[in-house]
Amino acid sequence: MAVVESSEDGLVVALRGLLGADAVSNEEAERRAYASDMWPRHQIWKMGPTPVRHRPLCVARPTTEGQIQAVVRACRAANAPLIPYGAGSGVCGGTMPIRPRSVVLDVRRLDRLVSLDDLDLTVTAEAGIHGMLFEEELLARGYTLGHYPSSILCSTLGGWLAARSAGQQSSKYGKIEDMVVSLRAVLPDGDVVETGSGQPVDWTQILVGSEGTLGVVTRATLRVHVRPEAQVFRGFRFRTVDEGLHALRRIMQAGLSPHVARLYDPFDTMLHSSSKSGSPAEEAGRTATGPMSALRDLFSAPVAEVKRRAPKAAIALALSVPGVLARLVEALPATCLLILGFDGTRSDAERDLEAATKLALAGGGIDGGSGPGERWLAHRHAVSFKQSALFDAGAFVDTMEVSAPWSRVLEVYRGVRAAVSPHAFVMAHMSHAYREGCSLYFTFAGYKGDAAGLERLYDRVWAEGLTAVIRCGGSISHHHGVGLSKRDAMRREHGAGLRLLYSMKDVLDPSGLMNPGKVLPDRAVEG
Amino acid sequence: MAPPVTDASALTDLTRDYTREIREATSFPQALELGLGKGRLAPGETLSARSVAEVCITLAAASRFGGHVRLGPAQGPDEVGLRLDALVGITDVDPTSGLVRAEAGVTVSSLEARLADAGLTLGAALLATPEARIGAAIAAGAWPGAAMRLEAVLPDGTPLCTPLAPRRATGPDPDALLHGLNDRLAVLVAAVLRLDPRAQQSRVEHVKGPPSALLEAMRVLLRDHRLDVELSATSDGQELTVEVSGDDARFDTGLALLASLRAVGAVSVTGGLPAPPLGRTEVAGWRRLQSRVAAGGPVWLHRIGRHGAWLRPGPQGAIDDPWLAQARAALDPGAVLRHDDAPLRRRKGRAT
């Protein structure tokens, strides 16, 4: 066991006394493992001379809510920051231990499905329950939460609630904040609060999205649905993003509730190419050579294939000229793919798909059959595990998920592309559609020859991208949360409304020990 | 896509410094005069604000000079009263997104009339209280989730807007600190409301029957199927009257529901549902709905769906939450805002 100097810290000793020696670790390997989540900026650090810039004092693994209370109180007594941690799949640096002597509180040992209420159609589960195991247990009992984030294989219920997660079926089932009925949380003073109806203030919606800055969620009650009997898919191709958006909006506002609704821009559509499809854009995507081919492989091929087919030089060349690449993509005979899916009883699903198909065809869509949707379904969780290929090549890739009302969506799409394209290659899809608007999910990749330059480029892309989002009338995050990466943009997101959020922080966590430095920007700068 | 129809001159200007008019003032009365105009408002009097700017200026003047603002008629010489009934701007109709921005004094009926041309409607749940004013209803806790954005003025006169997005993941939801709090932390001055497409031709049916059986029949049907109709109901303690409304062309699911209800004793009746009381609305599950109906007394249910319904009247009593009191002290250290309503109490205390 590689014990470091921090083993002498009295807090570590105290926590071991509370939880048992096996439940508190300050091994160097563990401290490094919990040094970050999946924030791509941290991946860039790994390319440079200082791969790990922050490490927690230790990692605590309680098994009960009472133990969480004890840890919270011990940290408070020791004036040590506490960072609630799920499975570490966040991409905004939300669990990074940026303050000295931070204790990471890994809640994954609180992993029980507590109860299922067949009358109210609700489930109660502990915060550390693993996403896929939770859903599989519900499916086995004849229910579904309907929450399938692409991180479902590496995330927890607590993490979903902390960051206001959205699943791929949110157009029908809603985001996690729509599903949650009530929750229990350990507050920064160690007390437990139970939220729910009957209270004048909706504390549930204050704690949800707080990313561990107001307390530690220990369990939640959520709405479930009877496991759908069937799901049916249909793909459509549109000539332009505008045309596709128009059709998607009409479908959502007709009162239809597709469980899957995804519209891809031309390059993102190209990534869905397969040997069985034959649109001009997809054909062009398959036969592209040189930098375009490297870029396509970069985003879509398995890691091993990327290394074989897209050598670093080709990737560097492709991403060094993002503006040229953008023009190349725009020159492709482009189409935009819309995938729609409906679930429920077979008759309900087929009836709704027929109604949606009529609207899509009336909006200029070309029927692509069930293939695109079925292919998407087969690979729906693959994205989260593809990042390393690009970082191996010395580049970065990241995603920016924002949202806007329908009247602003196209403006946000164009505004972000215009802001980011000079610096990085960018593509997008629109998913998580609602009656009033939708999410825009930008994927961007950039390259510089050295880690320091890459980090500067990364920061510039984010700064200009978020500025464009706000200028065009969007919100800076739809479902990844704020963490560190969007913290400073919160001023422009909320304006004076930030004072309401500060007031909650002051009331619940006056010592500022709960996940400090996240979500809310520094008030000293605020003035 | 068409941009929203906007009367920009009437929107709250978040970049404006609403204290600039009162910068030269040396007293509360003088600040009111400089900010609002001579003879418009003096301590002990009540202002019927004509714009959000007037709300900002009134609060800023009170905050700066130790005055107080009561939401309602003034009750003493150290305060002014503030009424929002004249804030009747409907300044943003966005038919593309199905949204409308309405100021606090706008009534449901006047807003609905304005929306007719755009082919939009507020929906049956809001139309159940046609005389309700937007700001008062939301501040009182009615219509959970009906607003996508809230606009308010902090006790020091600073205006704020919550983000305009269909969903977002940007921290705790600030709307939860405005909805249902009776203007405790800030004065609610406008809201952006979600709208439904207006049916070409709508159909409404009413049936009446034993409450428990009808609720159970609705629960069972909704558990597995989606309905294209909107469901509301009211119970007088003896019988439950159910209203099924929706697009005439898509009323087949409504007919299926009516058949289920008739199978457990419902009979057709004519006439609409009585208006519910305006106030706190609870989002209740089926167990809660059954127990409330079984307990007797009048209840109203709107937006009945798979997991329950809006239940009115919601929890009574009010806001005496210790956290809220602390937040209020931080946001309003001079206790500028005064309220007439009784303090609220938290129903569930902390467990330890």
Side-chain angles (χ1 to χ4, degrees):
Chain A
M1 183 158 77
V3 178
V4 295
E5 72 283 356
S6 58
S7 63
E8 299 304 316
D9 193 294
L11 180 55
V12 176
V13 175
L15 292 176
R16 284 193 174 128
L18 292 167
L19 307 187
D22 292 346
V24 181
S25 173
N26 62 346
E27 289 181 33
E28 182 62 13
E30 294 248 56
R31 293 174 69 206
R32 284 173 180 255
Y34 285 81
S36 182
D37 52 16
M38 298 288 286
W39 191 20
R41 196 164 187 263
H42 186 248
Q43 303 298 314
I44 295 174
W45 293 355
K46 289 179 180 173
M47 300 176 196
T50 317
V52 179
R53 301 186 186 180
H54 313 281
R55 288 173 301 173
L57 173 71
C58 64
V59 181
R61 297 187 174 91
T63 53
T64 65
E65 188 178 76
Q67 287 191 341
I68 292 178
Q69 288 181 276
V71 172
V72 169
R73 286 176 174 141
C75 286
R76 191 177 185 195
N79 200 35
L82 184 66
I83 301 171
Y85 191 98
S89 66
V91 290
C92 300
T95 59
M96 189 170 279
I98 56 174
R99 301 278 164 85
R101 295 186 75 233
S102 292
V103 173
V104 168
L105 185 76
D106 184 336
V107 302
R108 276 179 287 186
R109 292 184 181 176
L110 282 81
D111 61 354
R112 288 181 307 134
L113 191 157
V114 178
S115 62
L116 191 58
D117 185 332
D118 181 57
L119 191 77
D120 271 348
L121 287 179
T122 59
V123 63
T124 299
E126 291 183 321
I129 194 166
H130 179 274
M132 185 56 100
L133 297 179
F134 185 25
E135 179 65 10
E136 283 175 354
E137 191 163 346
L138 285 171
L139 289 171
R141 298 188 192 194
Y143 298 92
T144 179
L145 185 63
H147 191 66
Y148 287 86
S150 60
S151 65
I152 192 168
L153 298 173
C154 53
S155 58
T156 62
L157 171 60
W160 296 346
L161 292 162
R164 294 185 173 264
S165 164
Q168 293 159 339
Q169 299 180 177
S170 64
S171 297
K172 173 175 179 176
Y173 294 98
K175 289 181 67 196
I176 199 74
E177 65 262 35
D178 302 313
M179 301 173 186
V180 63
V181 176
S182 64
L183 51 80
R184 282 172 68 95
V186 176
L187 297 170
D189 62 4
D191 284 355
V192 173
V193 69
E194 186 162 2
T195 70
S197 63
Q199 299 177 9
V201 185
D202 187 358
W203 294 111
T204 305
Q205 293 301 327
I206 301 298
L207 289 164
V208 171
S210 64
E211 303 187 27
T213 62
L214 299 179
V216 186
V217 173
T218 57
R219 70 168 57 175
T221 298
L222 306 117
R223 298 182 180 95
V224 294
H225 301 255
V226 174
R227 180 178 181 163
E229 171 189 310
Q231 56 182 334
V232 291
F233 291 95
R234 188 78 54 91
F236 303 90
R237 293 194 187 84
F238 292 88
R239 285 171 300 176
T240 63
V241 171
D242 193 3
E243 201 176 69
L245 276 174
H246 183 75
L248 180 56
R249 178 175 67 83
R250 290 286 308 279
I251 288 162
M252 297 310 298
Q253 292 180 344
L256 297 165
S257 299
H259 75 310
V260 177
R262 306 174 71 86
L263 174 69
Y264 299 86
D265 81 354
F267 189 79
D268 220 337
T269 296
M270 202 170 82
L271 297 187
H272 285 264
S273 62
S274 80
S275 57
K276 288 181 181 174
S277 64
S279 79
E282 291 174 358
E283 182 61 23
R286 275 199 306 280
T287 57
T289 57
M292 277 303 289
S293 170
L295 197 65
R296 181 201 59 201
D297 289 347
L298 209 61
F299 282 103
S300 61
V303 174
E305 280 292 288
V306 169
K307 287 181 176 171
R308 186 176 65 78
R309 287 158 50 184
K312 286 185 178 179
I315 293 168
L317 178 62
L319 293 178
S320 295
V321 286
V324 175
L325 272 182
R327 286 194 290 277
L328 270 173
V329 169
E330 282 162 12
L332 288 171
T335 61
C336 296
L337 175 65
L338 172 65
I339 294 174
L340 293 175
F342 289 88
D343 72 356
T345 63
R346 180 160 291 283
S347 60
D348 276 356
E350 289 178 345
R351 184 193 60 180
D352 288 350
L353 181 62
E354 189 182 332
T357 297
K358 282 180 186 168
L359 290 169
L361 296 178
I366 298 168
D367 194 340
S370 61
E374 286 164 359
R375 277 196 295 281
W376 168 82
L377 188 65
H379 301 287
R380 65 193 299 190
H381 304 308
V383 172
S384 290
F385 302 99
K386 280 190 177 175
Q387 268 192 353
S388 58
L390 283 151
F391 288 100
D392 280 354
F396 72 73
V397 63
D398 202 350
T399 55
M400 180 191 293
E401 32 59 66
V402 304
S403 65
W406 288 115
S407 57
R408 302 290 182 195
V409 170
L410 199 60
E411 199 174 339
V412 172
Y413 172 70
R414 289 175 177 154
V416 172
R417 277 179 55 83
V420 172
S421 288
H423 314 295
F425 182 77
V426 59
M427 60 182 175
H429 64 260
M430 292 73 172
S431 48
H432 313 290
Y434 312 98
R435 276 194 173 196
E436 310 86 8
C438 70
S439 164
L440 299 92
Y441 196 92
F442 295 97
T443 301
F444 50 88
Y447 177 81
K448 283 284 179 190
D450 62 289
L454 195 64
E455 189 175 340
R456 283 195 298 275
L457 176 66
Y458 177 85
D459 289 347
R460 183 171 184 181
V461 165
W462 265 103
E464 298 195 9
L466 290 179
T467 297
V469 171
I470 292 168
R471 187 184 65 240
C472 297
S475 172
I476 60 172
S477 180
H478 175 262
H479 60 273
H480 285 175
V482 178
L484 285 170
S485 68
K486 296 169 201 154
R487 180 192 59 185
D488 293 336
M490 285 283 278
R491 262 188 213 95
R492 288 175 287 165
E493 170 85 1
H494 287 283
L498 212 51
R499 287 169 57 188
L500 291 173
L501 304 185
Y502 283 134
S503 74
M504 281 298 103
K505 179 72 175 171
D506 290 344
V507 168
L508 295 176
D509 186 25
S511 306
L513 293 175
M514 290 304 304
N515 204 7
K518 315 294 168 51
V519 182
L520 297 177
D522 188 349
R523 244 174 302 192
V525 180
E526 177 76 9
Chain B
M1 291 175 187
V5 181
T6 301
D7 174 4
S9 64
L11 294 174
T12 312
D13 183 357
L14 295 173
T15 63
R16 184 177 158 193
D17 177 6
Y18 287 95
T19 63
R20 67 186 175 192
E21 287 89 346
I22 63 171
R23 207 166 284 156
E24 305 301 320
T26 57
S27 67
F28 186 31
Q30 191 186 17
L32 292 172
E33 188 173 311
L34 285 173
L36 300 171
K38 196 167 185 179
R40 182 111 166 87
L41 179 67
E45 297 177 353
T46 299
L47 174 74
S48 184
R50 292 187 295 228
S51 68
V52 173
E54 288 194 341
V55 177
C56 295
I57 290 165
T58 303
L59 285 162
S63 175
R64 185 168 164 192
F65 295 103
H68 304 282
V69 178
R70 181 175 298 280
L71 293 171
Q75 294 182 9
D78 65 337
E79 66 179 35
V80 295
L82 183 63
R83 297 182 61 87
L84 304 179
D85 297 357
L87 285 180
V88 291
I90 301 171
T91 52
D92 225 336
V93 182
D94 180 354
T96 302
S97 309
L99 298 169
V100 63
R101 177 187 180 275
E103 291 183 338
V106 174
T107 61
V108 166
S109 55
S110 64
L111 183 54
E112 181 71 4
R114 172 75 181 272
L115 294 171
D117 289 344
L120 297 164
T121 176
L122 290 163
L126 271 64
L127 291 172
T129 49
E131 299 312 312
R133 294 186 187 276
I134 303 299
I138 294 173
W143 314 337
M148 193 160 100
R149 157 186 273 184
L150 298 177
E151 299 179 24
V153 183
L154 290 165
D156 67 358
T158 305
L160 68 89
C161 290
T162 62
L164 185 68
R167 298 287 191 286
R168 55 187 186 249
T170 56
D173 185 0
D175 288 351
L177 295 171
L178 298 170
H179 179 265
L181 298 196
N182 289 348
D183 301 305
R184 281 296 193 281
L185 301 183
V187 178
L188 214 146
V189 291
V192 175
L193 297 169
R194 295 179 158 99
L195 305 170
D196 293 329
R198 186 183 290 258
Q200 294 277 333
Q201 201 165 2
S202 61
R203 179 171 175 179
V204 182
E205 298 274 352
H206 293 90
V207 293
K208 181 186 270 191
S212 182
L214 265 55
L215 276 178
E216 179 62 8
M218 283 191 280
R219 183 189 71 80
V220 169
L221 195 70
L222 287 161
R223 177 186 162 93
D224 294 313
H225 294 278
R226 64 178 293 265
L227 298 183
D228 291 326
V229 291
E230 186 161 351
L231 299 179
S232 301
T234 184
S235 172
D236 57 7
Q238 303 299 317
E239 288 187 300
L240 188 78
T241 304
V242 180
E243 181 178 279
V244 186
S245 60
D247 189 333
D248 191 27
R250 298 167 59 193
F251 206 76
D252 53 338
T253 58
L255 294 175
L257 175 76
L258 289 167
S260 293
L261 298 179
R262 289 193 178 102
V264 293
V267 293
S268 295
V269 291
T270 56
L273 301 180
L278 188 65
R280 192 169 300 283
T281 303
E282 181 179 345
V283 180
W286 287 104
R287 285 181 199 280
R288 174 100 175 115
L289 296 180
Q290 286 282 17
S291 67
R292 274 297 295 276
V293 168
V299 295
W300 285 260
L301 315 180
H302 283 98
R303 299 204 172 169
I304 302 170
R306 182 168 292 169
H307 293 94
W310 282 8
L311 170 64
R312 288 189 276 201
Q316 299 303 294
I319 312 161
D320 194 13
D321 190 301
W323 297 342
L324 200 61
Q326 290 175 51
R328 195 175 164 195
L331 289 164
D332 188 9
V336 169
L337 276 172
R338 289 176 171 172
H339 299 83
D340 287 338
D341 62 312
L344 302 181
R345 276 189 310 282
R346 189 130 152 243
R347 283 286 175 97
K348 290 180 185 174
R350 290 184 186 190
T352 55

